[in-house]
Amino acid sequence: PFLYIAAIKLNLKTESTRYPHLGNCCRNISRASVVGIRSFDDARCAAVQWQHRRADVAEARQGLKLEVALNANGFLYNIDEEPCWSALLDRTAAWANGGPRPLVKSAGGLNSVSTSAREVVKAGAAAHMPLQEQMSYARFYSDVEQQRWLIDNERTVLLRLYRYIGNAALSPAEARVLLQEVAEARLLGVIHARASAAMLREAKAMGVDPKPRSAGGRAQLARLCADAGMASLPDGQFATHPQSPLAASAHGQ
């Protein structure tokens, strides 16, 4: 039994350099080697609990990584749809200034963000991760909430724009309001895309890369870009395109 306890102590001491909260287990097991069989059972119990906690932390980490990847896919899509939204807003502004009415068949993307995995694990297994890892996830999800605000406000403005798109013509008053809406949508779009580029770098720093866009996602982006008179670029290429306002941001500047 004493050899078994010593082995558990050594394992716990090694892991406690990564997980400081395991120090109490080590102290409990040290007492167990003195007071006999009952304490030995307590020590074995502590070791089992620690193994379960370690498994829970690993499962929580995997769930968070999957959610970070899901959000990264949305960030990349937002970066790639921005030039098409911008071109479509140009056509809308031209219409408000007396040009032809744009023909819009797509509602675009504006993907939502996901925080459900974080909500499930943050008060449980995630609290037992190393401090630096906890801080990384805390920063990431704080930024995700800012993304949620941008998405919600951008969607609200675009919905107001779409009310005018169905009109055959615009009155002077409607044209003035539409130009104001276009300006607000353009500003939100650029801020959103720049934030997405920063979030994508943050995800990559955590060891997470977005997956290739699905066939449905490619088709959706192609429809939006077609409405704007543009061809959609392959995944992620707009962010590094020389004419992109995101080029400096995408290169970490």
Side-chain angles (χ1 to χ4, degrees):
F2 296 108
L3 290 176
Y4 179 73
I5 292 170
I8 295 174
K9 285 172 60 181
L10 179 59
N11 192 16
L12 287 172
K13 285 180 178 178
T14 301
E15 292 295 332
S16 65
T17 60
R18 293 181 59 201
Y19 302 96
H21 60 272
L22 294 178
N24 289 334
C25 289
C26 293
R27 285 190 290 273
N28 290 339
I29 291 175
S30 295
R31 289 193 293 269
S33 63
V34 176
V35 298
I37 296 299
R38 181 175 178 180
S39 292
F40 168 72
D41 288 340
D42 292 341
R44 184 171 57 181
C45 234
V48 170
Q49 288 175 347
W50 168 73
Q51 291 288 354
H52 288 172
R53 178 175 293 176
R54 189 181 185 190
D56 289 344
V57 167
E59 186 177 13
R61 184 178 291 116
Q62 182 182 22
L64 289 172
K65 292 283 188 184
L66 289 173
E67 188 166 73
V68 170
L70 177 64
N71 285 316
N73 291 343
F75 303 150
L76 182 60
Y77 187 93
N78 171 242
I79 291 168
D80 289 341
E81 73 175 351
E82 171 55 25
C84 298
W85 274 123
S86 181
L88 187 56
L89 290 172
D90 288 343
R91 290 189 168 194
T92 305
W95 179 42
N97 285 314
R101 181 172 69 89
L103 299 177
V104 180
K105 301 177 182 179
S106 170
L110 292 182
N111 295 344
S112 299
V113 293
S114 176
T115 58
S116 56
R118 169 70 171 174
E119 293 302 319
V120 169
V121 304
K122 69 179 181 180
H128 300 292
M129 290 178 176
L131 179 60
Q132 289 300 319
E133 190 174 9
Q134 291 186 54
M135 292 177 65
S136 294
Y137 282 119
R139 283 192 298 268
F140 179 84
Y141 279 97
S142 175
D143 292 339
V144 164
E145 290 304 323
Q146 295 181 40
Q147 284 282 83
R148 192 193 302 278
W149 183 92
L150 285 167
I151 292 169
D152 289 345
N153 283 272
E154 191 174 6
R155 183 180 288 121
T156 298
V157 175
L158 290 173
L159 286 173
R160 293 202 301 264
L161 282 173
Y162 271 84
R163 291 185 305 181
Y164 294 97
I165 296 298
N167 294 356
L170 294 171
S171 68
E174 287 175 330
R176 286 193 297 272
V177 173
L178 183 57
L179 286 172
Q180 293 173 349
E181 302 284 16
V182 166
E184 186 176 353
R186 196 187 303 281
L187 176 61
L188 283 170
V190 171
I191 294 173
H192 184 193
R194 287 187 179 276
S196 291
M199 290 293 291
L200 196 57
R201 291 197 306 273
E202 196 172 339
K204 289 182 177 181
M206 299 167 72
V208 178
D209 286 310
K211 295 180 180 179
R213 188 172 299 127
S214 67
R218 289 195 299 271
Q220 184 180 29
L221 182 60
R223 287 192 297 270
L224 171 65
C225 293
D227 286 344
M230 295 182 64
S232 57
L233 293 172
D235 294 11
Q237 289 202 8
F238 176 66
T240 56
H241 193 279
Q243 295 180 349
S244 167
L246 302 178
S249 177
H251 285 94
Q253 299 176 6

